[in-house]
Amino acid sequence: MGHEHHHDHDDHSHLSDIELRVRALESILVEKGYVDPAAIDALVETYEVKVGPRNGAKVVAKAWADPAYREWLRADATAAIASLGFVGRQGEHMVAVENTLDQHNMVVCTLCSCYPWPVLGLPPVWYKSAPYRSRAVLDPRGVLAEFGVHLPQTTRIRVWDSTAEVRYLVIPMRPEGSESMSEEALAELVTRDSMIGTGLARRAEAIR
Amino acid sequence: MNGAQDLGGMMGFGPIAIEHNEPWFHAEWERRAFGLTLAMGATGSWNIDMSRHARESLPPAEYLTSSYYEIWTKGVERLVIAAGLVSREELTCGQSLAEPAPIKRVLKAEDVPAVLARGGPAERPIEQPMRFAVGERIRTRNIHPPGHTRLPRYARGKTGVVELVHGTHVFPDANAHGQGEQPQWLYTICFSGRELWGEQADPNISVSIDAWESYLEPA
């Protein structure tokens, strides 16, 4: 793994190999006119500030609160999610899968890092890492236990390996005691991990 | 290809390192590597399947010991060289030594929102009728192509059931190698844990992959 340095000055001797390598690449690509550095800033800003798992939480909360929306989401997730304004790269073909008492869904990309960016933002490091990608399909129950999720042995675990451009969003089970909560409050119960399937929604008391 | 990217079912990588309150990027160079990869992708000099293939073509020992954005950086380096946009010498010395090659387009900052919103849908119309139906049992082919494929090793030569049909999508195995999009029907195929991992597997797990029609044959 790359190690982090905090040197703002331009003394290259303090930069790691990979820092130098990325700098060289960017300066060549900019000098040749292939890349506009301001576009890089705009791309980074989009995913650091504007797009994240709050989008997905809104989708899930709406599905919990509105049966018609839930049906639409189950039937055509791409359109139902687009209706809330969450569209585009890495979300072109969406499928929503719903957790029940009998079946828990979990998503992985064993081949790279496929992840539904418009609803969850960029994936965490663990999602892209060898330990998760190797074991999610072989021992999902063990992986869930590492995340502190202990399901009964009778609960079926269904793993979705995103090997094409289809991206999966897990709809976690709606927590008990959340019946009277507004859609906005419900969204607070939806965590990123619960939408990957490595976590559960927060308990209703969590936001009281 | 049977590269180090094909991780499903491998053992020995240890526990999952979960980081609480993880930042989107862990260093400034990761921000730049991410942005550079997307900005160069937007020039239209290669497609997503070519970029995945560039990353998986790293030698296994290098792939497994590189961090995520290091893999991305090395992938872009390979792509710009292969596309004739940058020479190896330029990458080595860190500066441009020759006139730029013509490219299709340059992504401008003001176009970023529209380009991201448009994305890159993979669905393409084709004439051929669907060969398999939902609920049908199929067998994945036992293939080991030296080029790019999205059929993971753990799911080759296995019997499963067609669960979803996603329409007709660009075929990565062809598209990654400049052979055109050659779209095919795309299915979600579900396998029992025992079919994939043997009789010691948890009886209550199942795993699916999204598989193009040419990966499949009737069971």
Side-chain angles (χ1 to χ4, degrees), chain A residues 92 113 141 158 163 165, chain B residues 32 52 68 120 163 202 210:
Chain A
E92 295 92 344
S113 55
R141 213 176 286 275
R158 174 73 170 77
T163 54
E165 305 305 331
Chain B
R32 303 317 285 178
R52 288 189 181 129
Y68 183 72
E163 191 172 359
D202 185 332
D210 295 330

Side-chain angles (χ1 to χ4, degrees), chain B residues 19-102:
Chain B
E19 189 185 347
H20 295 285
N21 299 316
E22 182 180 333
W24 293 109
F25 298 99
H26 289 72
E28 179 59 21
W29 72 265
E30 291 193 346
R31 286 190 185 87
R32 303 317 285 178
F34 168 80
L36 274 176
T37 303
L38 265 64
M40 282 309 293
T43 65
S45 308
W46 49 78
N47 59 52
I48 191 168
D49 301 305
M50 289 171 177
S51 58
R52 288 189 181 129
H53 186 59
R55 292 175 204 147
E56 74 193 14
S57 298
L58 289 171
E62 188 174 5
Y63 183 95
L64 292 171
T65 51
S66 298
S67 72
Y68 183 72
Y69 288 114
E70 279 174 6
I71 294 172
W72 275 35
T73 303
K74 292 170 182 178
V76 174
E77 289 176 348
R78 283 170 173 249
L79 289 163
V80 292
I81 290 174
L85 300 179
V86 175
S87 68
R88 210 172 288 280
E89 294 68 38
E90 288 175 316
L91 283 182
T92 306
C93 76
Q95 57 185 356
S96 174
L97 302 171
E99 288 297 304

Side-chain angles (χ1 to χ4, degrees), chain B residues 5 8-9 31 72 90 97 102 125 127 132 144 164 189 198 202:
Chain B
Q5 88 290 350
R31 286 190 185 87
W72 275 35
E90 288 175 316
L97 302 171
E127 296 293 320
F132 304 104
H144 296 266
L164 299 171
I189 307 297
D202 185 332

Side-chain angles (χ1 to χ4, degrees), chain A residues 18-19 32 34 38 41 49 51 59 106 109-111 130 134 139 161 166 179 185 193 195:
Chain A
I18 186 65
E19 286 171 302
K32 286 184 179 287
Y34 303 148
D41 297 337
V49 181
V51 182
V59 173
M106 188 172 138
C109 171
T110 63
L111 296 175
S134 60
D139 178 23
D161 189 356
V166 180
E179 292 73 15
D193 288 7
M195 294 182 281

Side-chain angles (χ1 to χ4, degrees), chain A residues 54 57-58 61 64 181-191 201-203 206-207:
Chain A
R54 290 299 93 207
K58 285 180 191 157
W64 282 347
M181 290 170 76
S182 69
E183 210 174 295
E184 214 169 22
L186 286 171
E188 295 297 313
L189 303 180
V190 184
T191 65
R202 298 162 76 201
R203 298 166 62 86
I207 62 161

Side-chain angles (χ1 to χ4, degrees), chain B residues 33 37 41 54 88 98 105 165 183 192 196 207:
Chain B
T37 303
R88 210 172 288 280
R105 66 191 88 89
V165 182
S192 69
L196 296 175
V207 178

